[in-house]
Amino acid sequence: MASAVDDRLAELAVFDRTLEREAASLRSAGETVRETTDWLSTADETPLSALGFDALRRRHEALGERIEACEALLAERQADLDRTASRGAAVGVRQRSTVAYLYDDFTVSYPVLSTVARLVETLRECRRAVRDHLVRRV
């Protein structure tokens, strides 16, 4: 009986660490997404036609930096999903299984990955628009 209780406590401790890791990952992703969307919203207030060549070039570079930051976030998130929390050899909880359980009732299986991937596509579209303006001014 005591062994079964000890085993269950070990499982719960590992699951708790998995939940803590997920919470930290969500906070980090939330910060990056919020900073990026805030910057994009502010930058979008100025029409591209109102920017000079140097300002367009800086905007293009800034978009590239934000794309890189989001792509790094995607890679980190994928790495997080591939982790396994364990306590000794007896107990292990895969992060991907926990995430699947946590987001089972969501419309997408991996909401963080989905959100960031859509944000990267938006940033790329913005960068293409800036590049089009740059090319027309050369």
Side-chain angles (χ1 to χ4, degrees):
M1 178 72 157
S3 178
V5 170
D6 290 341
D7 289 348
R8 189 62 179 154
L9 286 172
E11 290 172 9
L12 290 172
V14 171
F15 189 68
D16 187 49
R17 281 201 307 273
T18 304
L19 291 175
E20 288 174 10
R21 185 182 304 150
E22 178 63 10
S25 179
L26 289 176
R27 282 190 293 276
S28 176
E31 282 180 36
T32 300
V33 168
R34 227 176 341 274
E35 288 171 6
T36 303
T37 55
D38 288 351
W39 177 86
L40 193 55
S41 178
T42 300
D44 198 40
E45 291 175 1
T46 305
L48 295 178
S49 58
L51 298 175
F53 185 84
D54 288 336
L56 283 169
R57 186 180 48 75
R58 285 191 301 274
R59 173 84 55 93
H60 189 269
E61 289 171 3
L63 285 161
E65 291 167 3
R66 280 160 177 78
I67 290 168
E68 287 176 13
C70 287
E71 288 175 340
L73 173 60
L74 288 171
E76 288 171 23
R77 182 67 177 166
Q78 285 287 11
D80 283 345
L81 290 172
D82 290 336
R83 286 193 172 89
T84 300
S86 63
R87 179 179 239 182
V91 180
V93 176
R94 294 189 46 83
Q95 190 74 20
R96 190 173 301 276
S97 300
T98 301
V99 167
Y101 169 75
L102 292 173
Y103 305 116
D104 183 49
D105 60 344
F106 280 49
T107 57
V108 294
S109 298
Y110 300 101
V112 173
L113 292 176
S114 177
T115 298
V116 177
R118 283 193 322 265
L119 182 55
V120 166
E121 186 54 37
T122 298
L123 291 167
R124 286 182 178 150
E125 289 172 12
C126 291
R127 191 168 63 169
R128 280 191 290 275
V130 171
R131 190 177 305 127
D132 288 346
H133 277 266
L134 279 167
V135 169
R136 282 185 257 157
R137 295 182 190 193
V138 171

